[in-house]
Amino acid sequence: HTGDVLIIGGVDGAGRARADVAILRGGTGRVDPALGSLQAARFRSAVVAVADAAGRTVVYVIGGYTGSTTAAISSDAVDVITYDPARDSWRVSPSATLPVPVGDVRAVYDGAGTIIVSGGTTQQGGLPGTGPSTAATSAITIGTGSVRRLGDHVTARSAHGAYRFLDALGVPNVLVGGGDGAPSSSELLSGSSWDGRANPPRALRRFLADVSDISGTARAIGGEDGASVLATTEWFDPKSGWKNAPRMNATRSRMGV
């Protein structure tokens, strides 16, 4: 709501996880430090921005890896970043812990006051993403920051896509897809459990751009299928499942949209 861009964690030149948060000022281009730091230095976290009751942006930083790019340890930390109007700055505060430490986790706002946290990788060392994927999922309540465990995924997955889409009646739904093995699969959230009967994606994708666009459409863009980087894209039709969309001009993964 301020036009600022938050730069959260990551790694330094030596590959070590960082805990600092910087603010790129939208009006001036100046970079300032935020107030406070992440409770644990980490990278490859899930980041979700939502609006509070007053319309102000609140940013949740969920899971990720601590350590370094050669000795990555999954984290269960959740931090919240809020705007402090008195200081014209952003304040970083610890919020909660996840039921399971996870890196390469995915999360999405469900449109009804909750962030759904999905899958990820659990490991205690080694290169990031080399540990086993988990089927664990949880929910973070906006406002209180409390975390509760949801039912497990039908299939363990990480570095996948997590989406909010509108069904044929205009009702928000949560969908996950990819990040598993071949053949790939999708799951729909139903209450606190997952239904694995959703039509599967057209391609197996990890490290894709998972987009829930302003029209309420879920879009899967690029990524990796285990053998190559992809230029293909697809979108989810609530009536008939995933459909092919126009290809990109170049293959891409681990990018932002």
Side-chain angles (χ1 to χ4, degrees):
H1 71 282
T2 63
D4 296 334
V5 175
L6 299 178
I7 304 164
I8 302 167
V11 296
D12 63 16
R16 296 170 299 203
R18 299 178 60 150
D20 58 313
V21 176
I23 308 162
L24 174 60
R25 299 291 186 178
T28 65
R30 189 179 73 245
V31 177
D32 296 324
L35 303 173
S37 301
L38 300 175
Q39 59 180 302
R42 57 198 197 273
F43 60 101
R44 284 166 60 166
S45 303
V47 177
V48 179
V50 298
D52 66 12
R56 295 168 299 198
T57 304
V58 180
V59 178
Y60 284 83
V61 185
I62 303 162
Y65 298 108
T66 63
S68 70
T69 53
T70 57
I73 302 170
S74 301
S75 173
D76 61 0
V78 179
D79 290 276
V80 63
I81 306 175
T82 54
Y83 181 67
D84 184 338
R87 301 282 296 274
D88 186 27
S89 190
W90 292 84
R91 185 175 300 278
V92 187
S93 306
S95 177
T97 56
L98 299 171
V100 177
V102 279
D104 287 324
V105 60
R106 296 297 180 258
V108 64
Y109 179 54
D110 71 353
T114 302
I115 295 171
I116 305 301
V117 182
S118 165
T121 298
T122 60
Q123 62 182 69
Q124 292 298 311
L127 298 176
T130 55
S133 298
T134 180
T137 74
S138 55
I140 302 172
T141 302
I142 303 300
T144 67
S146 62
V147 178
R148 68 183 187 278
R149 184 79 180 253
L150 299 177
D152 284 354
H153 281 311
V154 176
T155 302
R157 59 187 78 233
S158 65
H160 52 294
Y163 313 89
R164 181 181 74 250
F165 71 93
L166 298 180
D167 66 15
L169 300 177
V171 177
N173 286 259
V174 170
L175 168 77
V176 299
D180 44 9
S184 194
S185 65
S186 294
E187 301 178 38
L188 285 165
L189 181 61
S190 177
S192 60
S193 60
W194 296 89
D195 186 341
R197 294 173 294 176
N199 286 351
R202 299 277 177 161
L204 169 62
R205 300 175 194 272
R206 301 189 76 226
F207 301 108
L208 66 152
D210 49 345
V211 177
S212 304
D213 72 18
I214 59 174
S215 73
T217 301
R219 299 185 182 275
I221 301 172
E224 303 169 13
D225 65 4
S228 59
V229 179
L230 304 174
T232 57
T233 73
E234 50 191 296
W235 67 282
F236 186 76
D237 183 339
K239 295 181 180 180
S240 56
W242 290 98
K243 293 186 175 181
N244 289 325
R247 293 175 62 94
M248 295 184 287
N249 291 324
T251 59
R252 290 184 174 90
S253 69
R254 304 172 192 253
M255 72 294 196
V257 174

